[in-house]
Amino acid sequence: MKVAATLVALAGVANAFAPAQNVNKGIALSAVEDMAGSTMPFKAFDPLGLATLGSESTLAWFRAAELKHSRVAMLATSGYLVQAAGFHFPGMLSSDVSFETLSAMKPLDAWDAVPDL
């Protein structure tokens, strides 16, 4: 499970550095320029060309997904900072691993101590 998650994350990073494809940015780019929330200096910032996929409803779905994922990322960062400050959940992660024992370990050792499903 951990290996699969790592491979998926690495594939996403590799995709971010792939060369851009030449696409027609006619109508969809104007939809991005006129959309509320686009600000200077990058008013129509769309490096992956996602505005050219589908219709305006697809673009609205992409924006909603971006908001959802950014909120999850902010919550995860907050949780990391709270745990780094020394606050931990009480109880057991499994029958032989408690949250307190994981908090005393280095991060990679704690990752290895998490039991597989």
Side-chain angles (χ1 to χ4, degrees):
M1 183 71 173
K2 296 175 197 174
V3 174
T6 305
L7 290 176
V8 168
L10 288 176
V13 170
N15 191 21
F17 295 104
Q21 299 175 356
N22 293 334
V23 292
N24 184 8
K25 296 184 178 182
I27 297 170
L29 188 58
S30 66
V32 174
E33 289 176 351
D34 297 337
M35 185 175 287
S38 59
T39 59
M40 294 303 285
F42 303 110
K43 192 159 180 75
F45 184 71
D46 186 20
L48 298 178
L50 296 176
T52 61
L53 301 175
S55 63
E56 288 187 23
S57 63
T58 306
L59 186 59
W61 184 86
F62 283 152
R63 288 193 74 186
E66 181 180 9
L67 282 174
K68 177 180 69 169
H69 290 114
S70 64
R71 290 173 181 159
V72 169
M74 287 186 281
L75 184 62
T77 302
S78 299
Y80 178 81
L81 293 174
V82 166
Q83 292 231 338
F87 299 101
H88 304 287
F89 290 114
M92 301 292 286
L93 183 63
S94 68
S95 61
D96 58 342
V97 178
S98 69
F99 288 110
E100 288 86 17
T101 59
L102 289 178
S103 65
M105 297 179 186
K106 293 181 181 177
L108 294 177
D109 295 335
W111 178 261
D112 290 334
V114 174
D116 291 329
L117 294 178

Coordinates of all heavy atoms in Angstrom, one line a residue, residues 4-5 11 24 35 37 41 44 46 61 68 78 91 97 100 102 107 110 115-116:
A4 N 2.6 1.6 -3.4 CA 1.6 2.1 -4.4 C 1.4 3.6 -4.3 O 1.4 4.3 -5.3 CB 0.3 1.3 -4.3
A5 N 1.2 4.1 -3.0 CA 1.0 5.5 -2.8 C 2.2 6.3 -3.2 O 2.1 7.4 -3.8 CB 0.7 5.7 -1.3
A11 N 4.4 9.5 -10.0 CA 3.9 9.7 -11.4 C 3.3 11.1 -11.6 O 3.4 11.7 -12.6 CB 2.8 8.6 -11.6
N24 N -5.8 24.2 -28.9 CA -6.5 25.4 -29.3 C -7.1 26.1 -28.1 O -7.9 25.5 -27.4 CB -7.6 25.1 -30.3 CG -8.3 26.3 -30.8 OD1 -7.9 27.4 -30.6 ND2 -9.4 26.1 -31.6
M35 N -13.3 34.9 -15.9 CA -13.8 34.3 -14.7 C -13.4 35.1 -13.4 O -12.3 35.6 -13.3 CB -13.1 32.9 -14.6 CG -13.7 32.1 -13.4 SD -13.0 30.4 -13.4 CE -13.9 29.7 -14.8
G37 N -12.2 35.9 -9.9 CA -11.1 35.4 -9.1 C -9.7 35.4 -9.8 O -8.7 35.2 -9.2
P41 N -0.6 39.3 -11.6 CA -0.1 39.4 -12.9 C -0.3 38.3 -13.8 O 0.0 38.4 -15.0 CB 1.4 39.5 -12.6 CG 1.6 38.7 -11.4 CD 0.4 38.8 -10.6
A44 N -4.7 34.9 -16.8 CA -5.2 33.6 -17.4 C -4.1 32.5 -17.2 O -3.7 31.9 -18.2 CB -5.5 33.9 -18.9
D46 N -2.9 29.2 -16.9 CA -3.4 27.8 -17.1 C -2.3 27.0 -17.8 O -2.3 26.7 -19.0 CB -4.6 27.8 -18.0 CG -5.3 26.5 -18.2 OD1 -5.0 25.6 -17.3 OD2 -6.0 26.3 -19.1
W61 N -16.2 22.7 -12.5 CA -16.0 21.5 -11.7 C -14.5 21.5 -11.3 O -14.2 21.1 -10.1 CB -16.3 20.2 -12.4 CG -16.2 19.0 -11.6 CD1 -17.1 18.5 -10.8 CD2 -15.0 18.2 -11.6 NE1 -16.5 17.3 -10.2 CE2 -15.3 17.1 -10.7 CE3 -13.8 18.2 -12.2 CZ2 -14.4 16.1 -10.4 CZ3 -12.9 17.2 -11.9 CH2 -13.2 16.2 -11.0
K68 N -11.6 22.2 -3.0 CA -11.7 21.1 -2.1 C -10.3 20.6 -1.7 O -10.0 20.4 -0.5 CB -12.6 20.0 -2.7 CG -12.7 18.8 -1.8 CD -13.6 17.7 -2.4 CE -12.9 17.1 -3.6 NZ -13.5 15.9 -4.1
S78 N -2.3 21.7 9.1 CA -2.6 22.1 10.4 C -2.5 20.9 11.4 O -2.0 21.0 12.5 CB -4.1 22.6 10.5 OG -4.2 23.8 9.7
G91 N -5.1 6.7 22.7 CA -5.6 5.4 22.2 C -4.5 4.7 21.4 O -3.4 5.0 21.4
V97 N 0.3 -1.1 18.6 CA 1.0 0.2 18.3 C 0.0 1.3 18.8 O -1.1 1.4 18.4 CB 1.2 0.4 16.8 CG1 1.8 1.8 16.5 CG2 2.1 -0.7 16.2
E100 N 1.2 7.3 21.0 CA 2.3 7.8 21.8 C 3.6 7.2 21.3 O 4.6 7.9 21.2 CB 2.1 7.6 23.3 CG 1.0 8.4 23.9 CD -0.4 7.8 23.8 OE1 -0.5 6.6 23.5 OE2 -1.3 8.6 23.9
L102 N 4.3 6.1 18.3 CA 4.6 6.7 17.0 C 5.1 8.1 17.1 O 6.0 8.5 16.3 CB 3.3 6.7 16.1 CG 2.8 5.3 15.6 CD1 1.6 5.5 14.8 CD2 3.9 4.6 14.8
P107 N 10.1 10.3 11.8 CA 9.0 10.2 10.8 C 9.0 8.9 10.0 O 8.0 8.2 9.8 CB 9.0 11.4 10.0 CG 9.7 12.4 10.9 CD 10.7 11.6 11.7
A110 N 8.3 5.8 12.0 CA 6.9 5.8 12.4 C 6.1 5.3 11.2 O 5.1 4.5 11.4 CB 6.4 7.2 12.9
P115 N 0.8 -0.5 10.8 CA 0.5 -1.8 10.3 C -0.2 -1.7 9.0 O -0.9 -0.8 8.7 CB -0.4 -2.4 11.4 CG -0.9 -1.3 12.1 CD 0.1 -0.2 12.0
D116 N 0.1 -2.7 8.1 CA -0.6 -2.8 6.8 C -2.0 -3.3 7.0 O -2.4 -4.0 8.0 CB 0.1 -3.8 5.9 CG 1.5 -3.2 5.4 OD1 1.6 -2.0 5.3 OD2 2.4 -4.0 5.2

